[in-house]
Amino acid sequence: MNFPLYIAKRYVRSRSSQNAVNIINFITFLVIVIGSAALFLVLSGFAGLKTFSLSFTNAFDPDLKAQPAIGKVFSITPEQEERLANIAGLASYSKEIEEKVVLSFDKKMDIANIKGVDSNYTVTTGVDSTVYWGSWSTARQQGVAGNGIMRTLGLAIDRKPVKVLALKPGTGSLVQGSTTTDMYNVLPLQISGVYSVEASLDDMYVFLDLGLAQALLEKDSTQVSGISFKMKPDSDENSVREAIGTILGDDILLKNRQELNSNLYRMLNTENIAAYLIFTLVLIIALFNVVGAIIMMILDKQENSKTLFSLGATLKELRRIYFVQGVLVTTFGGLIGVLLGSILIGSQLVFGWVKIGSIDYPVEYQLQNVLIVLGTIIVLGVIASKIASSRINQKLLAA
């Protein structure tokens, strides 16, 4: 067996004759366990919050989406649609058109976005799963509105229709005395269902039939503002993107879900990194205890070190004994901390002890978080042990 490892393992298991040294060693080990468990809990909590936050937008955002590179709309021909349907990695696609409009109901007005969608939209996205009142229906001049819009205008489903006013396209200026009919195309729309995701999205959209929206905006049947794509499981995104780009050409920009919500992803990732750095700083401060504990052990075992040196152990081997001891303590403490954190995360997933209102606090157990915590503990433990073990020198052995 490796000589430094053998002695280091004995030092880890044995108790010192000095009670103060035993207390310091116990506190050091406890700090490592608590610190690593806390870091794992924080990373798991942020992973859960990230998944929870993205679940709101995932209902609206498809796997891939084609948007116009210039302007608000682009054209898609029946031949292009047929070629899109034959792409091997695509499960479905859906055309849509979107525009900002004015909603009017009982002398109350609100600005929102209409989104005209075809019958494949609920297959391509999961937006219909967000409807909590009424039903998803865009047939016969029916639409689905956000909860915020419903509250602002005081709407009710299957009752009096809301007026949708869309500015008429044109390049001329408005003349004095122009009426609403002159400036706007008006569409009465009956609300069949209400969706609810989160505040900003709830105040934004009214969904209706694609053909109806195109007629309201005076667009022909080939003009759309976007095409949503749903990929088949295990399909290769790059090959699908390449195939779509070949068909639709340079008139479109193709974005995946992360690119569509780049600001949200950036914010969540920044928060995760910030939390990791803060708790890593706490661990760095805590691992100063390891340096102190190893130095105390060096002083406590000074006579043993002298004996080993006299028996032929080199200065390098003596330093390695205490270096290995420190690494063993931090690694073992990190493993126990991660195990403790895993038990707590598992119990939250199963029993939901901690709640936010009526829902369980979102957490997520990820192997990468286990590796991050253990890697952080081991790296910091190696640095701390190296610093402490360097206290072994000729002067100490000669004292």
Side-chain angles (χ1 to χ4, degrees):
M1 179 182 287
N2 183 279
F3 167 67
L5 177 60
Y6 175 74
I7 300 298
K9 287 170 65 176
R10 289 183 63 86
Y11 282 175
V12 169
R13 293 195 302 264
S14 64
R15 291 176 61 84
S16 172
S17 59
Q18 300 294 327
N19 194 45
V21 175
N22 293 327
I23 293 173
I24 291 172
N25 289 339
F26 175 76
I27 292 175
T28 300
F29 184 74
L30 189 62
V31 166
I32 295 171
V33 171
I34 294 174
S36 57
L39 179 58
F40 182 73
L41 288 173
V42 168
L43 292 179
S44 299
F46 269 93
L49 284 173
K50 181 178 181 180
T51 301
F52 183 71
S53 299
L54 293 177
S55 66
F56 293 137
T57 59
N58 287 350
F60 273 74
D61 298 324
D63 296 330
L64 292 171
K65 186 170 183 177
Q67 296 176 320
I70 300 175
K72 291 185 178 182
V73 297
F74 63 96
S75 296
I76 177 171
T77 65
E79 291 77 18
Q80 287 175 314
E81 289 192 50
E82 186 176 349
R83 291 173 64 189
L84 287 176
N86 292 327
I87 295 178
L90 282 184
S92 64
Y93 72 91
S94 171
K95 298 182 295 180
E96 62 185 61
I97 190 165
E98 181 176 336
E99 185 58 87
K100 193 175 292 292
V101 297
V102 177
L103 302 177
S104 175
F105 183 80
D106 281 350
K107 299 182 180 181
K108 289 181 285 187
M109 305 187 80
D110 190 21
I111 296 176
N113 285 31
I114 58 165
K115 181 173 283 194
V117 296
D118 61 21
S119 58
N120 282 338
Y121 192 71
T122 55
V123 178
T124 307
T125 69
V127 67
D128 55 327
S129 64
T130 64
V131 175
Y132 77 100
W133 186 23
S135 61
W136 179 276
S137 176
T138 56
R140 299 184 304 277
Q141 292 192 204
Q142 291 182 317
V144 179
N147 185 45
I149 295 172
M150 298 291 287
R151 291 178 180 273
T152 300
L153 296 178
L155 300 175
I157 62 171
D158 297 329
R159 298 290 178 86
K160 183 179 177 181
V162 59
K163 289 183 179 179
V164 182
L165 291 81
L167 275 171
K168 291 182 177 180
T171 57
S173 59
L174 296 176
V175 298
Q176 187 175 6
S178 297
T179 64
T180 300
T181 306
D182 297 327
M183 295 186 296
Y184 294 96
N185 291 322
V186 182
L187 172 71
L189 191 71
Q190 191 173 64
I191 302 301
S192 64
V194 184
Y195 74 84
S196 180
V197 182
E198 54 92 19
S200 61
L201 291 175
D202 291 352
D203 293 332
M204 187 174 293
Y205 290 113
V206 175
F207 293 91
L208 66 159
D209 178 69
L210 174 62
L212 199 62
Q214 288 170 328
L216 177 67
L217 301 174
E218 297 186 16
K219 306 295 182 183
D220 62 51
S221 60
T222 66
Q223 292 180 297
V224 295
S225 60
I227 304 176
S228 298
F229 300 95
K230 181 179 181 179
M231 295 191 300
K232 293 179 180 178
D234 303 323
S235 60
D236 181 63
E237 180 180 321
N238 291 330
S239 61
V240 172
R241 291 176 75 119
E242 185 178 351
I244 295 172
T246 301
I247 296 171
L248 297 181
D250 298 329
D251 294 335
I252 60 100
L253 295 175
L254 198 58
K255 297 181 179 181
N256 59 23
R257 186 174 284 128
Q258 184 169 345
E259 291 167 338
L260 288 169
N261 296 283
S262 57
N263 291 334
L264 177 60
Y265 275 87
R266 192 179 300 114
M267 180 191 70
L268 293 173
N269 290 334
T270 301
E271 289 178 348
N272 199 18
I273 292 172
Y276 169 75
L277 292 177
I278 291 171
F279 272 82
T280 299
L281 179 61
V282 173
L283 277 178
I284 291 172
I285 297 172
L287 284 170
F288 278 117
N289 290 334
V290 174
V291 177
I294 294 175
I295 292 175
M296 290 293 293
M297 181 64 72
I298 290 173
L299 296 175
D300 185 57
K301 302 293 185 180
Q302 185 175 1
E303 294 302 319
N304 289 2
S305 298
K306 290 180 180 180
T307 302
L308 292 171
F309 187 67
S310 299
L311 291 173
T314 64
L315 192 62
K316 183 178 180 180
E317 288 177 325
L318 292 177
R319 287 175 177 170
R320 189 165 181 80
I321 288 172
Y322 295 101
F323 172 77
V324 172
Q325 180 189 355
V327 172
L328 287 175
V329 169
T330 52
T331 302
F332 189 51
L335 285 170
I336 292 180
V338 169
L339 178 61
L340 179 62
S342 299
I343 292 172
L344 292 174
I345 294 299
S347 66
Q348 172 66 15
L349 289 172
V350 174
F351 301 107
W353 305 112
V354 182
K355 294 185 178 295
I356 303 177
S358 60
I359 64 173
D360 298 342
Y361 189 93
V363 294
E364 190 168 332
Y365 189 91
Q366 295 180 346
L367 179 60
Q368 69 176 19
N369 288 336
V370 174
L371 298 177
I372 288 172
V373 174
L374 291 178
T376 302
I377 289 290
I378 291 172
V379 169
L380 295 178
V382 167
I383 295 172
S385 301
K386 189 69 175 179
I387 294 172
S389 63
S390 65
R391 301 293 295 177
I392 296 284
N393 52 41
Q394 292 284 358
K395 185 178 178 180
L396 180 69
L397 297 174

